[in-house]
Amino acid sequence: MKLKEILIKRDQLKNHIYALKRAITLCHMYMKDDEMIQDLEEIKEELENQLDELNNNLTTIEEMEM
């Protein structure tokens, strides 16, 4: 992957995580559907893991450049 693609992917993951956090909050407030909240939490955790992995890879790239 090119660095630009990695940065775009990171920004997209951040946006998806933010949207999921909002959706979870709204589910708590209005729908009160525990199953849906659990599903959204699992998706959010997966995306956070991907974001952490991507950030670790970016750290490695930054160290190589220095």
Side-chain angles (χ1 to χ4, degrees):
M1 278 184 136
K2 294 180 181 179
L3 184 59
K4 181 179 178 181
E5 292 172 357
I6 293 171
L7 295 174
I8 289 171
K9 179 70 173 175
R10 183 187 66 179
D11 291 342
Q12 288 175 342
L13 285 171
K14 286 181 179 180
N15 288 336
H16 290 305
I17 291 169
Y18 176 74
L20 281 167
K21 287 179 181 179
R22 290 190 62 173
I24 291 167
T25 301
L26 291 173
C27 281
H28 277 296
M29 291 173 61
Y30 299 112
M31 297 178 70
K32 299 184 185 349
D33 184 355
D34 291 332
E35 186 176 334
M36 182 179 285
I37 292 169
Q38 182 64 31
D39 290 342
L40 291 172
E41 288 282 349
E42 289 173 4
I43 294 169
K44 184 178 74 94
E45 288 176 15
E46 289 176 25
L47 292 179
E48 286 174 338
N49 290 337
Q50 288 180 13
L51 181 62
D52 290 341
E53 183 180 326
L54 197 63
N55 283 332
N56 288 338
N57 292 338
L58 284 174
T59 303
T60 305
I61 291 171
E62 289 174 356
E63 291 172 356
M64 288 174 48
E65 291 180 3
M66 292 182 171

